[in-house]
Amino acid sequence: MTFADGRAGIDAALVRRLIRAQFPRWAGLPVTPVEVDGWDNRTYRLGDDMTVRLPTAPGYVPAVAKENTWLPRLAPHLPVAVPPVLAAGEPGEGYPFPWSVRGWLPGETALRAPITDRARFARSVAGFVRALQRCDTAGGPAAGDHSWHRGSPPVFYDDETRHCLRLLEGRIDTARAAEVWGAALVMEHRGDPVWFHGDIAAGNLLVVDGELAAVLDFGTSGVGDPACDLVIAWTMFTGPEREVFRAAVDQDAGTWVRARGWALWKAMLILVGALDRDDRAGAAEQERIISEILADHGREWVR
């Protein structure tokens, strides 16, 4: 997403003041907004090799300390780069939240970059998910408010999902969608809790020379049910590449049932927003995703 500088009261001038006050060794470096920014945080380039990342609202603040603590511990066990944490900033200069300085990771997001072989890319994403699941969970943050309940049972979003079903009556097959959601609610996670990312999406995957090079934004990460990390099977992958991802990520059938629920909740929520904005292209994309989720309902995706 591209935003005008100043969103959430954060602009380049504020970042320069924060750097000058707390990290004067970097005070002479240029500060510029990144071309494509996220919603939860504002991100700025600091010189050529660093970024400054600042949460935009109180709900995103817990991710700062979590990422600063856990990214350095997880990084050695993952097959591609994750953001290097260089410094932890404190509230100041009128900005009320903690913030961080990270190392810059080169590449373009998978939303924009050409991908040489999409099946190989799907296999690489699956490899990252599996490597993350193998990381030691001792002391890790259990799924909850800090992860926006990714990694928790999907029932947390039941009211929101049923509201979307009512709004989308006549637009999608709401009867089948309700079946998908109901199946996700009753399919409990019975395995050991594992590390999950929480937002494995094209915008958080960096591509260099057509290959997966890094994974960004661990703000919704934690330890719990990994079903939420399978949503990319429908949001980015289609046809044969989805099959490659499914086989390589190697999850049980129950996890896929819950994953369809997670994917449906998010797609319906985005679709409602797109319809409100009269965003026809955005709505069409979410309708495609929902159609493919519903088509997969009842399919036995087993190891």
Side-chain angles (χ1 to χ4, degrees):
M1 292 179 281
T2 302
F3 301 100
D5 196 25
R7 182 172 65 88
I10 303 167
D11 59 19
L14 169 65
V15 176
R16 282 192 286 270
R17 292 197 305 273
L18 286 167
I19 292 294
R20 186 166 56 248
Q22 299 185 30
F23 304 108
R25 64 189 180 277
W26 296 326
L29 296 175
V31 173
T32 54
V34 296
E35 183 178 351
V36 179
D37 206 359
W39 180 257
D40 301 1
N41 295 268
R42 293 235 57 195
T43 303
Y44 291 79
R45 291 290 297 268
L46 178 60
D48 293 330
D49 301 320
M50 292 180 286
T51 66
V52 180
R53 181 174 168 86
L54 308 96
T56 58
Y60 307 125
V61 168
V64 178
K66 177 174 63 177
E67 289 184 293
N68 288 351
T69 298
W70 286 101
L71 281 175
R73 302 184 192 184
L74 296 172
H77 307 288
L78 299 174
V80 297
V82 298
V85 178
L86 303 181
E90 299 177 350
E93 305 300 314
Y95 178 71
F97 307 135
W99 50 284
S100 59
V101 180
R102 310 284 182 84
W104 173 259
L105 293 173
E108 286 189 284
T109 72
L111 285 171
R112 304 171 57 152
I115 295 174
T116 309
D117 183 328
R118 292 184 64 86
R120 186 166 69 236
F121 190 84
R123 192 175 294 110
S124 296
V125 175
F128 173 85
V129 171
R130 292 292 289 153
L132 182 61
Q133 291 176 1
R134 290 192 294 268
C135 289
D136 187 358
T137 60
D145 288 348
H146 69 90
S147 68
W148 296 84
H149 292 271
R150 270 62 161 188
S152 301
V155 69
F156 182 82
Y157 288 104
D158 188 43
D159 288 347
E160 192 170 61
T161 299
R162 296 191 187 281
H163 179 63
C164 289
L165 285 168
R166 290 191 293 271
L167 293 177
L168 295 172
E169 183 71 44
R171 183 88 191 195
I172 65 170
D173 184 347
T174 51
R176 189 166 179 83
E179 290 179 8
V180 171
W181 182 245
L185 294 182
V186 300
M187 186 62 69
E188 296 181 6
H189 174 52
R190 300 185 182 279
D192 293 332
V194 296
W195 273 99
F196 60 86
H197 178 278
D199 194 13
I200 299 286
N204 289 328
L205 306 178
L206 281 186
V207 178
V208 174
D209 295 331
E211 305 287 351
L212 180 66
V215 177
L216 308 177
D217 194 355
F218 283 69
T220 54
S221 66
V223 174
D225 176 7
C228 56
D229 279 350
L230 306 185
V231 168
I232 197 169
W234 298 280
T235 57
M236 181 175 177
F237 301 135
T238 60
E241 67 218 39
R242 183 182 301 151
E243 295 297 322
V244 168
F245 176 78
R246 179 200 62 78
V249 81
D250 191 28
Q251 303 296 290
D252 63 49
T255 302
W256 282 107
V257 170
R258 294 189 303 281
R260 282 194 286 271
W262 278 110
L264 179 67
W265 157 71
K266 189 65 177 288
M268 289 198 303
L269 189 65
I270 297 173
L271 174 57
V272 167
L275 293 172
D276 285 345
R277 298 188 306 274
D278 196 28
D279 176 3
R280 297 183 183 182
E285 173 62 8
Q286 298 309 312
E287 288 175 331
R288 177 198 67 79
I289 292 169
I290 290 168
S291 176
E292 296 193 17
I293 294 167
L294 300 187
D296 280 336
H297 177 50
R299 184 177 179 190
E300 289 297 325
W301 275 2
V302 296
R303 290 174 172 160

